[in-house]
Amino acid sequence: MIEYNKLYELTKDLKILYVEDDIAFQKESYEMFNYFFIDIDLANNGEDALAKYLQFYKENNSYYDIVITDISMPKMNGLDMCREIRKVNNNIPIIITTAHNDKDFLHKAIDVGISKFVTKPIDMHQLIDNIKRV
């Protein structure tokens, strides 16, 4: 396993959009993510995340490096949000955090082009491994 110092060197410059509607879980995860990423933007639902994604591009003329998102959210679920993001940037790595283990759900996520899955509660080793891969 990679050392945390080396991992931080690899991830510190990445710009992350983290989407989670459970505010307590979002806060807990954000604190974990802060060990690896300096630039993390938060959104509470897919609709808000899509708006932030588009605004980030407008302001920076570049995209986020990774989107990490929950799947079940109000206003716009994670799969619909991912479909819309893929229309703008088909190459963005997207990591889904989910408690779902349903085959139909997994097939839909694959069809949308999800890069990786991390089960909830978030296992940092699994997340780190997936970030290294994307």
Side-chain angles (χ1 to χ4, degrees):
M1 174 148 181
I2 194 166
E3 293 178 26
Y4 286 109
N5 293 355
K6 289 180 183 176
L7 181 63
Y8 177 75
E9 286 302 313
L10 293 173
T11 61
K12 69 178 180 173
D13 295 326
L14 297 178
K15 295 166 189 71
I16 306 299
L17 177 59
Y18 177 51
V19 191
E20 172 61 59
D21 64 319
D22 181 326
I23 301 304
F25 189 75
Q26 182 189 70
K27 182 179 177 183
E28 181 182 313
S29 299
Y30 179 80
E31 289 173 10
M32 287 189 307
F33 295 160
N34 258 336
Y35 286 106
F36 306 103
F37 310 110
I38 293 173
D39 195 353
I40 307 168
D41 287 338
L42 302 174
N44 299 327
N45 61 65
E47 192 174 274
D48 182 36
L50 181 59
K52 284 186 178 191
Y53 191 86
L54 297 172
Q55 186 65 33
F56 183 88
Y57 180 77
K58 185 177 179 182
E59 292 173 359
N60 299 285
N61 200 29
S62 66
Y63 296 110
Y64 286 100
D65 295 302
I66 300 174
V67 173
I68 301 172
T69 184
D70 185 17
I71 204 68
S72 300
M73 297 180 291
K75 295 188 181 180
M76 179 186 287
N77 70 45
L79 290 179
D80 290 340
M81 177 202 70
C82 292
R83 275 189 201 94
E84 294 302 312
I85 287 175
R86 289 273 184 232
K87 290 177 184 176
V88 176
N89 178 4
N90 197 39
N91 298 318
I92 180 77
I94 300 174
I95 298 174
I96 293 282
T97 61
T98 183
H100 294 279
N101 206 6
D102 176 15
K103 276 186 180 181
D104 185 47
F105 161 78
L106 295 174
H107 286 284
K108 287 179 185 175
I110 290 167
D111 288 344
V112 172
I114 300 308
S115 304
K116 297 291 178 186
F117 294 92
V118 176
T119 55
K120 286 184 177 180
I122 294 177
D123 176 336
M124 280 307 290
H125 296 292
Q126 183 185 20
L127 178 64
I128 290 166
D129 193 45
N130 285 329
I131 289 169
K132 287 188 312 189
R133 290 179 183 169
V134 297

